[in-house]
Amino acid sequence: MSMIENTFKLKHKAVEKIVKYSNQMSLRTKIRQGYIVMIILFFFIFVLVVGLGIRNYSGKIIYSTMENQNQQIEKSIDYFIDDIIKLSEYPYVDSEVTALLEKSYQGDGESIVVKINDTAKLAHLLYKHVFYMNKRIDSVWLLAENNMENPAIVTRQNLNNHYNMKEEDWYNRVYSGNGTPFILGVHEDSGSTSNEKIVSVARSIVSPTDGSFLGMFVINIKANDFAALWYNGQADDRIIAVADKENHLIMNPNAAKEDDLETYIQSVDAKMPVNKSVGGNRTVL
């Protein structure tokens, strides 16, 4: 006799025993056991439905939390940019700065010495009224049209002596902006020897009387310091970076690997809506 036949006979005998046991049960017992089976089945269905409901509800809470955190990040960044833009208006509201920018050095026998002294005055004013006003500012530059060889600079970095601001790819666009503030996305700090990544606010300074170009004003913030606006060491790990319009990342260096993030950003670039303007009369480059 084969093993299959033995197995079939064992199963057949088991079924016979179950049928025999069922026939011996009273109607009341059958009804009671039927109720028990229905209760158990209902219980499992109830647990399944509740479990799925909790899962969906938890997902909505997580999504809502992340959305609120993103909104807070956007507000924090926007408020910070607004503050920096307000500081960039300083040359317009200080008559001493305006006078130095409009000063004519023609016919001055000691023009070189005078220009150097005036640059020192501008640097002092910029430190007091701009650089000192926000701890996240890394450097401030004011390149006066009447004193191009001596830009007024306040910085935490070592200067690159070969740096020429006019060679920056953004210079002509900001120059043509007629005083409009431009937000420069993540780029290298070519004005220092560190070449660190920075975010900048730049604007041309024009004469309030005749509209002539008086100089270029730039405020730089380290990208890593900028990231501190939303990353404090206890932030949600899912908040890893913010991308500018060119998908350059502003992030805390300890949050994740920048190369991995850039690869990810590129892979979903077509699905990422990116704002090309922040609002008001500001422009993002």
Side-chain angles (χ1 to χ4, degrees):
M1 187 178 291
S2 67
M3 184 179 296
I4 296 176
E5 290 175 345
N6 288 333
T7 303
F8 176 77
K9 286 184 177 181
L10 290 173
K11 289 183 176 179
H12 182 69
K13 288 181 179 180
V15 172
E16 286 181 345
K17 287 182 179 181
I18 294 173
V19 172
K20 184 178 180 180
Y21 175 74
S22 176
N23 291 333
Q24 292 175 349
M25 285 192 303
S26 65
L27 179 60
R28 180 180 296 178
T29 303
K30 291 180 180 180
I31 294 173
R32 183 170 61 246
Q33 290 189 353
Y35 279 133
I36 293 173
V37 171
M38 290 177 61
I39 291 171
I40 293 174
L41 182 62
F42 175 79
F43 175 76
F44 278 113
I45 294 174
F46 175 77
V47 171
L48 180 62
V49 171
V50 171
L52 291 174
I54 292 174
R55 181 180 178 182
N56 292 335
Y57 181 70
S58 299
K60 290 180 180 179
I61 291 177
I62 293 172
Y63 177 80
S64 178
T65 301
M66 293 179 66
E67 188 176 26
N68 290 335
Q69 288 173 333
N70 286 340
Q71 290 176 354
Q72 290 301 318
I73 290 172
E74 291 175 4
K75 289 180 181 179
S76 179
I77 293 173
D78 208 37
Y79 290 153
F80 177 76
I81 292 295
D82 280 341
D83 288 342
I84 299 301
I85 288 175
K86 285 293 183 184
L87 290 174
S88 73
E89 296 173 358
Y90 167 68
Y92 284 102
V93 298
D94 191 310
S95 58
E96 187 174 359
V97 172
T98 303
L100 290 171
L101 294 177
E102 293 180 332
K103 186 174 181 178
S104 174
Y105 294 98
Q106 295 178 357
D108 194 328
E110 299 179 351
S111 60
I112 296 177
V113 175
V114 173
K115 284 184 175 182
I116 292 174
N117 290 336
D118 287 348
T119 299
K121 290 179 184 177
L122 282 173
H124 173 73
L125 291 171
L126 294 178
Y127 174 82
K128 181 178 180 181
H129 297 285
V130 180
F131 187 83
Y132 180 76
M133 300 304 293
N134 194 303
K135 65 180 181 180
R136 303 199 190 284
I137 295 176
D138 191 58
S139 62
V140 179
W141 291 67
L142 178 53
L143 184 62
E145 179 70 6
N146 62 356
N147 193 3
M148 297 292 289
E149 63 273 19
N150 298 303
I153 307 167
V154 184
T155 181
R156 305 180 195 275
Q157 307 297 324
N158 294 322
L159 292 175
N160 175 9
N161 295 324
H162 301 290
Y163 176 65
N164 183 355
M165 186 183 294
K166 284 193 169 184
E167 295 178 355
E168 293 280 10
D169 58 2
W170 49 261
Y171 185 89
N172 289 332
R173 284 176 286 176
V174 179
Y175 175 88
S176 303
N178 196 32
T180 300
F182 285 76
I183 303 169
L184 312 180
V186 183
H187 60 285
E188 288 190 356
D189 184 7
S190 302
S192 73
T193 57
S194 68
N195 289 325
E196 291 191 58
K197 298 292 182 65
I198 56 175
V199 178
S200 307
V201 172
R203 74 191 309 156
S204 58
I205 306 300
V206 297
S207 172
T209 54
D210 59 11
S212 61
F213 177 72
L214 299 179
M216 184 68 66
F217 190 45
V218 182
I219 301 175
N220 297 320
I221 305 97
K222 279 187 182 180
N224 288 344
D225 288 344
F226 194 90
L229 291 169
W230 70 86
Y231 187 90
N232 58 10
Q234 297 178 347
D236 194 317
D237 291 339
R238 290 165 297 204
I239 302 173
I240 49 180
V242 171
D244 66 7
K245 86 179 187 74
E246 299 296 338
N247 284 339
H248 297 141
L249 299 178
I250 304 170
M251 58 182 290
N252 186 286
N254 299 323
K257 293 183 179 180
E258 184 172 353
D259 292 340
D260 294 342
L261 279 172
E262 288 180 343
T263 301
Y264 172 75
I265 292 294
Q266 291 171 3
S267 69
V268 297
D269 179 57
K271 300 178 182 179
M272 287 184 58
V274 181
N275 294 326
K276 296 191 177 182
S277 63
V278 179
N281 60 348
R282 295 172 287 172
T283 303
V284 180
L285 295 183

